[in-house]
Amino acid sequence: AQTVTQSQPEMSVQEAETVTLSCTYDTSESDYYLFWYKQPPSRQMILVIRQEAYKQQNATENRFSVNFQKAAKSFSLKISDSQLGDAAMYFCAYRGDNTGTASKLTFGTGTRLQVTL
Amino acid sequence: DGGITQSPKYLFRKEGQNVTLSCEQNLNHDAMYWYRQDPGQGLRLIYYSQIVNDFQKGDIAEGYSVSREKKESFPLTVTSAQKNPTAFYLCASSTAGHLVYEQYFGPGTRLTVT
């Protein structure tokens, strides 16, 4: 079974600074997909960024980018120019390629990000 | 507006009672999912459905049941057999297919059983 590990329960960053959240995963599959979700205090889950394992180029969405290291099974999220609205729980998630037509996700335990002035 | 609704936001039940959580979507998605969220454990998949009248167990299906009689609806019943039912429950939906589609989440239901 696949597992997703987020080893940082809490992180803190100053406004306008950069922070990196870590995620590692364990899988025997060669094709898969990785995601970062954000859960603000409202508890609404929001997709931040996704990465296809077959793509060598790291995904980028505005201030959010990933460092995908397939051999190391590592998928970190970098948030640049942090804003107060970035404060939330961040979850790393894995989706294998052999899950039929439904996108079953395996989630990590989350990292709580605080943004300070 | 298109989206997923879950009701109610907060639900209280006595131990030994079954309770049904509602999930409705108007996104025309074929696939729907139920997750449970506990502090420090992230989200865990309870059940999922790829199409009407079909559903599969997720990682923690014991003590739960679902039905999928309509495309728009995927209710979750928490039975009295579920040993620790107090949790935050999230419903999600996505387009089904062999490409990877984003899951859209509802606002969640906080269930407290005493």
Side-chain angles (χ1 to χ4, degrees):
Chain A
Q2 292 79 22
T3 58
V4 177
T5 302
Q6 293 180 250
S7 59
Q8 305 155 316
E10 292 190 10
M11 294 281 286
S12 183
V13 63
Q14 283 193 318
E15 200 177 16
E17 296 296 310
T18 296
V19 64
T20 299
L21 308 184
S22 300
C23 173
T24 59
Y25 56 94
D26 186 26
T27 184
S28 57
E29 296 177 305
S30 57
D31 290 325
Y32 49 86
Y33 306 82
L34 297 163
F35 305 84
W36 278 98
Y37 276 87
K38 170 184 177 181
Q39 188 180 43
S42 67
R43 306 197 79 169
Q44 179 75 51
M45 295 286 283
I46 303 163
L47 179 65
V48 174
I49 200 165
R50 59 181 273 176
Q51 174 80 42
E52 290 83 352
Y54 64 84
K55 290 187 178 178
Q56 292 187 338
Q57 188 172 6
N58 289 325
T60 299
E61 288 287 343
N62 300 315
R63 298 182 296 107
F64 299 87
S65 61
V66 299
N67 183 6
F68 173 50
Q69 302 288 329
K70 190 172 184 180
K73 297 181 181 174
S74 170
F75 182 60
S76 60
L77 174 70
K78 185 171 84 171
I79 306 175
S80 304
D81 186 25
S82 297
Q83 301 174 359
L84 293 177
D86 294 334
M89 282 289 286
Y90 286 82
F91 292 97
C92 179
Y94 171 100
R95 192 267 198 193
D97 196 41
N98 298 319
T99 57
T101 58
S103 290
K104 290 193 304 176
L105 297 176
T106 300
F107 285 85
T109 53
T111 296
R112 182 173 301 281
L113 179 65
Q114 290 185 319
V115 181
T116 59
L117 294 171
Chain B
D1 284 6
I4 302 176
T5 56
Q6 292 184 245
S7 59
K9 188 168 184 173
Y10 299 96
L11 192 52
F12 298 88
R13 280 294 182 271
K14 294 290 187 185
E15 198 172 317
Q17 293 179 337
N18 291 353
V19 59
T20 297
L21 281 60
S22 166
C23 178
E24 304 277 335
Q25 54 97 1
N26 61 4
L27 300 168
N28 200 34
H29 286 163
D30 286 308
M32 297 187 74
Y33 316 80
W34 273 106
Y35 293 92
R36 170 181 172 138
Q37 184 176 18
D38 295 283
Q41 294 196 49
L43 279 71
R44 292 180 291 168
L45 183 65
I46 304 172
Y47 268 98
Y48 67 101
S49 167
Q50 300 178 83
I51 199 167
V52 174
N53 293 322
D54 182 57
F55 49 83
Q56 286 80 39
K57 293 181 180 180
D59 300 318
I60 55 165
E62 186 175 348
Y64 299 97
S65 66
V66 294
S67 63
R68 186 86 187 278
E69 297 175 1
K70 297 187 301 181
K71 186 175 185 177
E72 301 80 17
S73 178
F74 190 42
L76 173 74
T77 296
V78 185
T79 75
S80 56
Q82 168 51 233
K83 291 184 172 27
N84 296 297
T86 295
F88 186 66
Y89 291 87
L90 283 159
C91 178
S93 71
S94 72
T95 300
H98 291 288
L99 297 177
V100 176
Y101 297 95
E102 176 184 351
Q103 284 192 23
Y104 293 82
F105 285 82
T109 292
R110 171 70 184 176
L111 173 65
T112 301
V113 177
T114 58

